Amino acid sequence: MKPRVLILGGGIAGIAAAMKLCAAGARVTLVESRDRLGGRASSFFDAKSGLWLDNCQHVTLGCCDSYLHLCDLLGVSHLIRWDDEQYWVEAGGRTTILKPAHLPAPLHGFPAFLKAKFLNVGEKLRIAAALAQLRFLNRFNHEAQTFASLLDELGQHETERTKFWDPIIISACNLTPKRVSALAAIQVFQEAFLAGAPASRIGIMTVPLGQIYERARSAIVESGGELLLGESVSHFDQTTATLSGGHMLAADAVVCALPFEKASMFADDGLKQLDPRFSGMARMTHSPILGVHLFFDRSVLTLPHAVLVGAETQWLFRKDDSGRVLHAVISAADEWMALDHDAIVQRVLRDLLARFPAAANARLEMARPVKERRATFAFSPGFESLRPATASESGDGPFLAGDYTQTNWPATMEGASRSGLAAALAVLQHRQKGRMRRTQD
Ligand SMILES: Cc1cc2nc3c(=O)[nH]c(=O)nc-3n(C[C@H](O)[C@H](O)[C@H](O)COP(=O)(O)OP(=O)(O)OC[C@H]3O[C@@H](n4cnc5c(N)ncnc54)[C@H](O)[C@@H]3O)c2cc1C
């Protein structure tokens, strides 16, 4: 008989679990409190512009194997645009193109780095020496220290921090080097930037994020399962979940793909006392991201994207062919959360105009800031030990999925995909064990 599996939460982790379980012949019921799938990587309809807008630009990297596998399962891989080059733009507009050379890793990035205009010779030498050491560090030995303190040990000066390390780490880890665990930061260099040209290329969806999850809907329904959108879970244990209206759902297994604060809030009290995986969740915290959609009356950005050197706004993405529609991203945006619409727009425009002076001739027709206060978990020193495993020590459920679980990744679509695929595998293994046990009995 087909196993029945309840999946709680329809973000990337829940979707990945559903796709794998449906393919393995399970009958899945996925419960999602919103009226759409995608969770923190999703789109909303903006009545003012009449467009579907992403909550924020989401970037993937060539090294994100599990996320790219999920895109294959969803049949959306062809919708990713790959940018091999990175454009770093300084105040005044001088632009450096970091383009990989046809050389083995980590030398592929070296020729372009040597020519980078935004760094002087001393800065390049110090950065290169640090990168050479980062490549060989056992990152797990550096979990308890911040990346800033590691940069101190590696002899990095303030100028190269502001121009080079900050833009990369703040946008990749969503925390400043002063707050982020060195474990997470080292990983960014070891698995992406130093790992070769294919690993470090930047992938951007060419359609609103919401569109890429449609395939999950049909996969669930076609395999005999159901999708309960707009339904909130208020309690769960190993085999049941109760909805906020009081209706109880039962299954052979439960995959909890809720955010950590909800998983910890809605797990059965008895379960929480017995299962140590839940104890760390109460100590986890969030870090915010701000995305700003900008609509101009004429072209202001011809590059596909821009890293803004030395600015508070870390990245700009061109969202249409003409360069009229842009998306600005500010990670680790704690300070920006209290600002109102006009103050946010002013600060972003200041960064934009300083680097693209010609944009002063353009009129901003509309701006739409999106504040995500709970964008990611805060990967500070000590966080790694709080992350729960997929299954309990005995291999039982509820099976936990979500970017915050033990994925070996920071809070990313890759981490979420890994966790969902791992939860699906754990459910199938658990069922296999149960069958074996029954046969032995
Ligand atoms: C602004 C922003 C920018 C980001 N940029 C990037 C990026 O560039 N690259 C990258 O790789 N990652 C990025 N991330 C991180 C990435 O989006 C997340 O790591 C990933 O989407 C997490 O997926 P998840 O399934 O673990 O969690 P979630 O997406 O949080 O999924 C949990 C789901 O559970 C649902 N839910 C909550 N409560 C209930 C309930 N009671 N009952 C039923 N359902 C419930 C939620 O609605 C949600 O759909 C960004 C995140 C944000 C917010």
Side-chain angles (χ1 to χ4, degrees), residues 9 11-13 32-33 39-40 56 58-59 233 257-258 375 402-403 412-413 416:
I12 290 176
E32 164 58 47
S33 57
R40 277 172 280 155
C56 189
H58 275 63
V59 169
V233 172
L258 302 173
D403 58 3
T412 50
M413 300 188 289

Side-chain angles (χ1 to χ4, degrees), residues 24-36:
R27 188 149 13 110
V28 160
T29 299
L30 189 150
V31 188
E32 164 58 47
S33 57
R34 294 192 190 173
D35 59 1
R36 57 188 186 272

Side-chain angles (χ1 to χ4, degrees), residues 8-15 31-34 36-42 55-60 64 171 213 231-234 257-259 262 266 288-291 329 331 370 372 374-377 401-404 410-417 419:
L8 317 178
I12 290 176
I15 292 171
V31 188
E32 164 58 47
S33 57
R34 294 192 190 173
R36 57 188 186 272
L37 294 174
R40 277 172 280 155
S42 57
N55 60 333
C56 189
Q57 179 66 58
H58 275 63
V59 169
T60 190
C64 293
S171 50
Y213 309 117
E231 294 282 3
S232 288
V233 172
S234 58
L258 302 173
K262 300 282 175 66
F266 298 136
I289 300 180
L290 174 67
V329 181
S331 297
V370 183
E372 289 278 13
R374 294 178 167 182
T376 67
F377 57 77
D403 58 3
Y404 72 93
T412 50
M413 300 188 289
E414 171 66 10
S417 307
S419 73

Side-chain angles (χ1 to χ4, degrees), residues 205 214 268 314 328:
M205 277 294 168
E214 286 310 301
D268 178 73
Q314 290 105 19

